[in-house]
Amino acid sequence: MTEQSAFDFSGYQAAAARTADLVATDHPIVYPTLGLVNEAGEVAGKVKKIFRDRAGVITDADREALTLELGDVLWYLSELSTRLGIRLEDVAERNIAKIADRAARGVLSGEGDNR
């Protein structure tokens, strides 16, 4: 993917859903939620080791490993969104609008959803 191209989230979401295999749980959002948290933890673990072992120096190998892990995060996010009936485009658009609003009001720092 080049810098000029934008990835189509609708296409991604449909492709991710084609590779999903439902795991038996008591609710369809349980498995993708647990997968999302697990993969986000793997990203955090890799970043932790970059700082612990190399004082924050990020190598090409780190970037490659993190790209793969972030892809897994994206897959589970897509699956969770699909099972909730939410489009990834809506997630992305609302998030940018929320962050831009916080920036405009000078409340990027702090805690809580309603700042």
Side-chain angles (χ1 to χ4, degrees):
M1 192 164 92
T2 66
E3 284 189 38
Q4 289 94 8
S5 69
F7 196 85
D8 172 25
F9 277 126
S10 292
Y12 180 89
Q13 201 165 1
R18 285 192 298 272
T19 62
D21 185 20
L22 289 179
V23 174
T25 63
D26 61 343
H27 199 282
I29 68 167
V30 172
Y31 181 72
T33 300
L34 295 175
L36 177 60
V37 171
N38 180 72
E39 295 299 338
E42 289 187 28
V43 170
K46 289 186 182 311
V47 170
K48 175 200 74 172
K49 290 174 184 174
I50 290 168
F51 284 87
R52 182 193 66 194
D53 300 342
R54 291 190 308 284
V57 175
I58 302 169
T59 66
D60 288 340
D62 294 325
R63 281 188 186 82
E64 178 61 24
L66 285 166
T67 297
L68 296 174
E69 293 301 338
L70 289 168
D72 291 341
V73 168
L74 182 61
W75 190 92
Y76 280 107
L77 175 63
S78 176
E79 274 304 291
L80 181 57
S81 297
T82 297
R83 292 179 192 182
L84 289 169
I86 300 169
R87 295 173 349 119
L88 280 177
E89 286 92 344
D90 294 336
V91 172
E93 287 173 7
R94 287 186 179 183
N95 181 257
I96 292 298
K98 176 184 79 176
I99 298 303
D101 178 64
R102 287 181 181 172
R105 293 182 293 116
V107 292
L108 281 176
S109 298
E111 295 183 28
D113 291 335
N114 299 316
R115 55 189 144 109

